[in-house]
């Protein structure tokens, strides 16, 4: 609305102020001019009466006197002369109200007779009773000859003059109001135009356009305001950029942290999360059979309980969690808004590696000793039996020698695998990369294990999703990975079970998945499955004809890592295990 705008308010204010001043001034002028006109008329009548009195006093000829009086007086007035000898003379007049001599005759008004009898001037207003007409009467005595002169003037003339003056005053006031209105709009528009620009600039500033600048057109307060506004915009731009840089820096730091970081609202909504924390939540959802994308911004239930405890007790809470065989330690600290807890920040650290290292340091020597002790004891016992001729026949000696040979080969494999792992961990692994045909490579591996699967009454299935037929890998090393994964799957799957091999070859990667429905791996063993000498759940049944060294998966992990790939495992006890690895192309 117009009157709600600054232009309207300023214009209306100026207009009302000027109108009020003009109203007061008009009243004062009307009062002044009303008295002024009466005074001027009275003054003129007094001067005329004085002149006529002097004429009568200086001349004795009545005709001359009356003629000169007729010429001197105002045509609208009427003059009555009382001569000293009692003669009365009345002049002519154009005013109809003064024609009735009886109505204005001093003889009918005792107060007028004082000018004759007492020789005192008379100055009064009176009303003619016949038509209620106001007239002014001036009476002047003739000093030396006696008698008096009376001048009658109707106030209609004065009222007409007053009306004309009032009209002029009102016209002038109207013109003044009109000019004031134009001036008020001009002034308010000129004053408020920079304010309107500032309003638009402030709206742009609120939208984030901090480079908005106002033109400085004047050097008054509005110009200073524009300068201050531009300075404010510049400072805001500087501080917002600084905050943005700090936010980006903080985001980079958080994302590069090995520990998981989650910032939460009081209601449990995730505000900030880095990749390790996101992986932790994904593992929690997988553990609880919940799709991650359905609750992306919502905290898992276990963490929600910890958050409520932090908010309720308003202190730091330390909690240990175990997911997918990995040990996690969470420290959740409240975030305050003054004294109000507005949320919390959780730092999640994966302690699996540290605990694995501690365990590996303790177990390495015992594992190596254990692995070497059995073949050495067998070789020692059987060799003593041969030396002491306990085996009498050649067949028995050959059988004992065969066992000694197999155990020596086993020791050789163990030592070679230890050397391979040592070289791999030292970064001395050399890959013989070559471009091969995926179809032929996979079919050869599949045929290698189909016989073993049939012998154990296990269904070996192969699924191929090949878009890119040529890949670049170290064929022998990757075949070693396939052999280890498929052999483990067949060894831990009961008869009538299945092992499913999925091979996917696309432009950007080479992906393999080996899934079985065997005994599975306990959750507490998942995080250690790729470590040296680690055998998950030693009591599980495996093909007794072939004993593992506990190094196969560790070697597989190093081979995949050397190809700049990743290897993962997911497993549930009595449901099965899925190993997968992905190599970029």
């Amino acid at each position: 609305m117009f009157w709600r705008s600054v232009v309207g308010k300023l214009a209306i204010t100026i207009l009302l102020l000027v109108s009020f001043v003009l109203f007061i001034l008009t009243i004062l002028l009307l009062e002044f001019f009303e008295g002024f006109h009466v005074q001027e008329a009275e003054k003129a009548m007094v001067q005329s009466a004085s002149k006529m009195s002097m004429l009568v006093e200086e001349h004795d000829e009545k005709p001359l006197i009356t003629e000169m009086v007729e010429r001197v007086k105002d045509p609208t007035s009427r003059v009555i002369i009382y001569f000293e000898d009692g003669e009365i003379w009345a002049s002519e007049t154009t005013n109809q109200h003064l024609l009735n001599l009886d109505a204005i005759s001093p003889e009918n008004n005792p107060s007028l007779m004082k000018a004759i009898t007492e020789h005192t001037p008379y100055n009064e207003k009176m009303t003619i009773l016949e038509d209620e007409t106001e007239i002014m009467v001036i009476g002047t005595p003739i000093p030396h000859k006696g008698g008096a002169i009376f001048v009658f003037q109707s106030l209609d003339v004065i009222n007409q003059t007053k009306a004309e003056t009032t009209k002029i005053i009102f016209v002038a006031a109207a013109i003044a109001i009109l000019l004031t209105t134009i001036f008020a709009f001009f002034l308010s528009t000129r004053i408020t135009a920079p304010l309107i620009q500032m309003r638009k600039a402030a709206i742009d500033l609120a939208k984030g356009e901090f480079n908005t600048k106002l033109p400085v057109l004047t050097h008054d307060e509005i110009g200073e305001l524009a300068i201050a506004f531009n300075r404010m915009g510049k400072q805001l731009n500087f501080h917002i950029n600084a905050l943005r840089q700090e936010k980006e820096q903080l985001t980079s730091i958080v994302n590069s942290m090995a520990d998981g970081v989650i910032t939460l609202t009081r209601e449990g909504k995730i505000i900030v999360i880095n990749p390790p924390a996101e992986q932790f939540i994904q593992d929690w959802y997988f553990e609880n059979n919940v799709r991650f994308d359905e609750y992306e911004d919502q905290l898992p239930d276990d963490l929600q309980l910890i958050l409520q405890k932090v908010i309720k007790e308003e202190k730091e809470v330390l909690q240990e969690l175990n997911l997918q065989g990995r040990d996690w330690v969470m420290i959740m600290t409240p975030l305050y808004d003054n004294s109000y807890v507005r949320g919390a920040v959780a730092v999640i650290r994966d302690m699996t590696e540290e605990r694995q290292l501690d365990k590996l340091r303790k177990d390495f020597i015992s594992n190596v000793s254990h692995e070497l002790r059995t073949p050495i004891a067998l070789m020692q016992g059987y060799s003593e039996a041969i030396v002491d001729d306990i085996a009498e026949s050649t067949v028995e000696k050959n059988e004992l020698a065969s066992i000694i040979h197999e155990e020596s080969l086993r020791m050789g494999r163990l030592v070679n695998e230890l050397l391979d792992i040592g070289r791999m961990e030292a970064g001395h692994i050399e890959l013989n990369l070559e471009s091969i045909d995926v179809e032929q490579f996979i079919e050869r591996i599949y045929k290698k294990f189909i016989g073993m699967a049939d012998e154990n009454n296990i269904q070996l299935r192969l699924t191929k999703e090949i878009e890119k037929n040529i890949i670049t890998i170290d064929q022998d090393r990757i075949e070693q990975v396939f052999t280890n994964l498929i052999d483990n799957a067949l060894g831990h799957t009961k008869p009538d079970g299945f092992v499913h091999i999925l091979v996917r070859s696309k432009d950007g990667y080479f992906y393999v998945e080996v899934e079985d429905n065997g005994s599975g791996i306990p959750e507490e063993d998942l995080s250690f499955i790729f470590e040296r000498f680690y055998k998950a759940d030693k009591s599980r049944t495996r093909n007794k004809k072939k004993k593992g060294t506990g190094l196969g998966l560790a070697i597989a992990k190093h081979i995949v890592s050397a190809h700049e790939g990743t290897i993962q495992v997911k497993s549930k006890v009595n449901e099965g295990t899925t190993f997968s690895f992905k190599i970029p192309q």
Side-chain angles (χ1 to χ4, degrees):
M1 304 298 288
F2 171 74
W3 54 84
R4 293 184 181 177
S5 65
V6 177
V7 176
K9 290 178 180 178
L10 186 59
I12 292 173
T13 302
I14 295 173
L15 189 60
L16 289 176
L17 180 62
V18 173
S19 299
F20 177 75
V21 172
L22 285 175
F23 174 73
I24 300 298
L25 185 61
T26 300
I27 293 174
L28 294 176
L29 285 174
L30 289 174
E31 290 293 328
F32 169 76
F33 279 110
E34 182 177 1
F36 176 76
H37 289 307
V38 172
Q39 290 175 1
E40 287 296 315
E42 183 180 343
K43 184 177 178 181
M45 291 173 67
V46 170
Q47 289 179 353
S48 298
S50 299
K51 290 178 182 180
M52 295 176 191
S53 174
M54 291 176 61
L55 284 174
V56 173
E57 188 175 354
E58 292 175 358
H59 298 84
D60 295 329
E61 297 85 359
K62 292 180 181 179
L64 178 62
I65 292 172
T66 55
E67 182 180 356
M68 293 180 69
V69 168
E70 286 284 359
R71 291 181 179 181
V72 170
K73 78 174 186 66
D74 189 338
T76 60
S77 63
R78 191 167 193 182
V79 178
I80 298 177
I81 301 176
Y82 280 79
F83 291 100
E84 57 182 345
D85 56 2
E87 183 181 353
I88 300 173
W89 177 83
S91 67
E92 300 293 330
T93 180
T94 58
N95 194 309
Q96 298 295 324
H97 301 291
L98 301 176
L99 293 177
N100 187 356
L101 189 60
D102 293 334
I104 62 174
S105 175
E107 295 175 352
N108 299 326
N109 192 337
S111 61
L112 292 178
M113 293 303 295
K114 291 181 180 181
I116 300 173
T117 58
E118 298 179 5
H119 300 283
T120 57
Y122 179 83
N123 185 352
E124 284 292 340
K125 292 180 183 178
M126 59 181 294
T127 303
I128 300 175
L129 297 177
E130 294 181 355
D131 53 7
E132 300 295 329
T133 301
E134 286 187 331
I135 62 172
M136 181 178 291
V137 182
I138 300 295
T140 302
I142 302 172
H144 301 290
K145 291 185 176 183
I149 297 174
F150 294 93
V151 180
F152 298 87
Q153 177 72 53
S154 175
L155 291 181
D156 289 345
V157 177
I158 298 174
N159 291 335
Q160 186 178 0
T161 306
K162 282 169 49 181
E164 292 293 331
T165 305
T166 303
K167 182 179 179 182
I168 292 172
I169 291 173
F170 279 123
V171 170
I175 294 173
I177 291 176
L178 179 61
L179 293 176
T180 300
T181 304
I182 296 172
F183 172 75
F185 277 103
F186 171 76
L187 180 63
S188 59
T189 303
R190 185 173 179 82
I191 292 175
T192 56
L195 297 179
I196 293 173
Q197 288 183 339
M198 289 181 189
R199 174 179 170 275
K200 293 179 180 178
I203 293 173
D204 292 339
L205 206 64
K207 293 178 180 178
E209 299 177 7
F210 299 108
N211 293 321
T212 304
K213 288 188 177 181
L214 288 173
V216 181
L217 303 177
T218 60
H219 298 285
D220 53 8
E221 289 82 355
I222 294 178
E224 293 176 358
L225 181 60
I227 293 172
F229 184 90
N230 292 337
R231 189 180 296 117
M232 179 188 69
K234 185 177 180 181
Q235 290 294 323
L236 276 175
N237 191 24
F238 172 77
H239 290 302
I240 291 296
N241 286 333
L243 287 173
R244 186 182 295 111
Q245 290 176 1
E246 290 182 7
K247 181 181 178 182
E248 292 174 354
Q249 183 178 358
L250 181 62
T251 302
S252 299
I253 292 173
V254 170
N255 288 335
S256 62
M257 288 177 62
D259 295 338
V261 178
I262 308 176
T263 304
L264 306 165
T265 63
R266 189 181 179 90
E267 293 75 24
K269 186 177 180 181
I270 298 174
I271 302 174
V272 177
I273 184 169
N274 67 345
E278 190 172 354
Q279 183 62 46
F280 168 80
I281 292 180
Q282 287 181 358
D283 290 343
W284 188 93
Y285 282 128
F286 178 81
E287 183 78 14
N288 293 273
N289 296 319
V290 180
R291 287 185 59 185
F292 175 65
D293 54 357
E294 293 180 359
Y295 305 94
E296 285 186 359
D297 295 334
Q298 204 62 33
L299 200 64
D301 294 339
D302 293 348
L303 274 64
Q304 191 74 253
L305 295 176
I306 300 173
L307 174 63
Q308 296 306 319
K309 183 178 180 181
V310 169
I311 294 173
K312 182 178 180 181
E313 299 180 1
E314 296 189 6
K315 65 179 183 180
E316 182 180 276
V317 173
L318 177 66
Q319 184 78 24
E320 291 194 11
L321 301 168
N322 187 277
L323 291 174
Q324 288 291 294
R326 303 193 71 83
D327 297 319
W328 302 85
V329 175
M330 171 183 288
I331 301 175
M332 190 175 290
T333 307
L335 294 175
Y336 290 94
D337 184 2
N338 294 328
S339 59
Y340 176 74
V341 178
R342 62 180 177 85
V345 59
V347 178
I348 306 168
R349 172 166 293 183
D350 187 354
M351 301 295 292
T352 309
E353 299 293 336
E354 296 180 16
R355 294 178 181 177
Q356 283 179 358
L357 290 174
D358 290 339
K359 188 174 185 304
L360 287 174
R361 279 193 294 268
K362 295 176 183 178
D363 294 347
F364 180 73
I365 295 176
S366 61
N367 285 334
V368 172
S369 301
H370 175 76
E371 292 294 335
L372 291 176
R373 182 176 56 188
T374 302
I376 289 174
L378 288 173
M379 292 170 63
Q380 182 179 355
Y382 288 133
S383 61
E384 286 177 355
I386 295 174
V387 171
D388 295 340
D389 289 331
I390 295 175
E392 297 178 353
S393 65
T394 305
V395 175
E396 290 178 349
K397 291 181 178 180
N398 289 336
E399 185 178 348
L400 294 178
S402 176
I403 293 172
I404 293 173
H405 178 68
E406 287 179 0
E407 293 300 325
S408 65
L409 291 177
R410 182 183 172 200
M411 289 180 61
R413 287 197 307 271
L414 175 62
V415 172
N416 288 332
E417 288 179 352
L418 279 172
L419 291 174
D420 284 343
I421 285 186
R423 284 194 298 269
M424 290 176 184
E425 290 181 347
H428 296 154
I429 184 173
E430 294 182 1
L431 298 179
N432 181 24
L433 297 177
E434 54 183 334
S435 297
I436 64 169
D437 186 285
V438 181
E439 291 273 3
Q440 296 178 2
F441 178 65
I442 297 303
E443 286 294 335
R444 179 163 53 84
I445 294 174
Y446 176 74
K447 290 176 181 178
K448 186 166 100 173
F449 287 97
I450 189 64
M452 184 188 301
D454 292 339
E455 288 178 8
N456 292 279
N457 196 22
I458 296 172
Q459 184 182 3
L460 183 62
R461 299 198 297 260
L462 175 63
T463 301
K464 294 180 287 185
E465 298 177 5
I466 298 175
E467 294 181 4
K468 184 180 180 183
N469 204 41
I470 303 298
I471 60 172
T472 302
I473 57 172
D474 185 329
Q475 184 174 352
D476 293 336
R477 295 285 190 180
I478 296 300
E479 184 173 349
Q480 188 177 355
V481 174
F482 268 103
T483 300
N484 188 279
L485 296 181
I486 298 173
D487 183 64
N488 283 345
L490 292 173
H492 294 97
T493 301
K494 296 178 180 179
D496 298 325
F498 73 87
V499 174
H500 179 215
I501 305 170
L502 169 65
V503 178
R504 185 179 295 135
S505 177
K506 298 196 174 184
D507 286 338
Y509 61 89
F510 174 63
Y511 176 81
V512 175
E513 188 175 280
V514 178
E515 177 187 5
D516 66 65
N517 64 341
S519 56
I521 303 171
E523 183 179 338
E524 61 270 15
D525 292 329
L526 281 175
S527 56
F528 305 101
I529 201 68
F530 292 107
E531 301 300 333
R532 293 177 294 180
F533 298 112
Y534 196 85
K535 298 178 182 179
D537 192 2
K538 284 80 179 172
S539 63
R540 289 191 303 163
T541 3
R542 182 182 169 91
N543 190 342
K544 302 297 182 183
K545 297 179 181 178
K546 186 176 182 181
K547 297 179 181 179
T549 62
L551 298 173
L553 289 177
I555 293 174
K557 180 180 180 181
H558 282 293
I559 292 173
V560 173
S561 298
H563 283 80
E564 299 181 356
T566 56
I567 186 169
Q568 294 180 337
V569 58
K570 292 181 181 178
S571 181
K572 289 187 179 180
V573 177
N574 297 325
E575 291 187 17
T577 304
T578 301
F579 281 91
S580 62
F581 65 90
K582 185 177 182 180
I583 297 175
Q585 291 293 301

